[in-house]
Amino acid sequence: MERAQSLMKDKVALENEIRTLELNLKGMSATRETPLVDSEGFPRSDIDVAAIREIRRSLICKQNDLKALMTEIEQSLISLHQGSKVSSEPKPVTMRRPFARISIVEHNSPASEAGLLAGDKIVAYGLVNASNHDKLRLLIEETSNNIDKPIDMEVERVVDGQPQLVELKLRPRRNWGGDGLLGCFILPL
């Protein structure tokens, strides 16, 4: 709950920063769409082109930050509500349907450190599962939104000819010595 409240405060602060930047633009007699060059293609002399470009750049960055924050708030609220559900009925022990397969795992990668193996089939990846992965787009989004944060995973792994559900924690990160954030290739099923 505290995490969600903290994120909401960050959202309000970020929205205020965006409003301030928009007011700064307005004070310079410009908007996000105001042309910065005249009809001949030269920078306009009646406005501060460099300052307007810097404010526009800051606005774009802040809006991207706001999008990422909104996604984080959404995930926080979902996990908060999922955690508050109490059920007195026992959960059936069944294998859920996998939606992707690990084809290659790079040595010393975040994937290999988490214990992923080539051939593992992904059943759950954070909040992503077979019913909502949207052709793996949400898996990519979940990875991007959780850089340097652990993601709970469930994979189906065949051991001694029998499928087993294995729980892992994968921490996507940059600069691990290879390409990508995970160090593995994931294919849809």
Side-chain angles (χ1 to χ4, degrees), residues 18-165:
I18 290 171
R19 272 193 288 279
T20 301
L21 288 169
E22 287 174 338
L23 287 173
N24 288 345
L25 267 181
K26 192 174 184 179
M28 300 174 121
S29 299
T31 65
R32 294 176 192 223
E33 292 82 29
T34 301
L36 301 180
V37 294
D38 60 20
S39 60
E40 296 176 357
F42 292 102
R44 289 178 47 188
S45 60
D46 61 325
I47 57 175
D48 187 349
V49 173
I52 291 172
R53 288 187 68 186
E54 179 58 29
I55 291 172
R56 285 179 177 177
R57 185 199 63 78
S58 293
L59 270 169
I60 291 168
C61 289
K62 298 284 183 197
Q63 286 181 313
N64 288 339
D65 292 345
L66 183 60
K67 273 186 196 176
L69 186 60
M70 292 299 290
T71 301
E72 199 171 342
I73 288 169
E74 178 184 3
Q75 290 174 348
S76 176
L77 291 174
I78 289 170
S79 65
L80 176 69
H81 289 289
Q82 284 178 341
S84 66
K85 290 180 183 174
V86 178
S87 173
S88 59
E89 297 179 27
K91 294 181 182 176
V93 180
T94 59
M95 294 294 277
R96 292 183 300 185
R97 188 169 51 102
F99 63 94
R101 179 177 59 86
I102 306 295
S103 66
I104 298 173
V105 177
E106 297 289 332
H107 184 64
N108 291 329
S109 67
S112 70
E113 291 170 4
L116 276 173
L117 301 174
D120 283 349
K121 294 179 181 175
I122 301 173
V123 174
Y125 186 84
L127 301 174
V128 182
N129 58 49
S131 67
N132 69 359
H133 66 85
D134 190 25
K135 299 179 183 175
L136 302 186
R137 284 187 199 107
L138 288 180
L139 186 139
I140 294 166
E141 188 176 307
E142 185 84 2
T143 301
S144 299
N145 291 335
N146 288 288
I147 296 172
D148 294 321
K149 299 176 196 167
I151 298 174
D152 292 325
M153 283 186 76
E154 290 181 6
V155 297
E156 180 184 298
R157 181 177 293 164
V158 177
V159 178
D160 297 326
Q162 297 295 317
Q164 295 184 355
L165 197 60

Side-chain angles (χ1 to χ4, degrees), residues 163-177:
Q164 295 184 355
L165 197 60
V166 179
E167 294 180 355
L168 304 169
K169 285 200 183 292
L170 176 61
R171 185 182 297 266
R173 69 176 192 275
R174 294 184 172 94
N175 304 321
W176 58 268

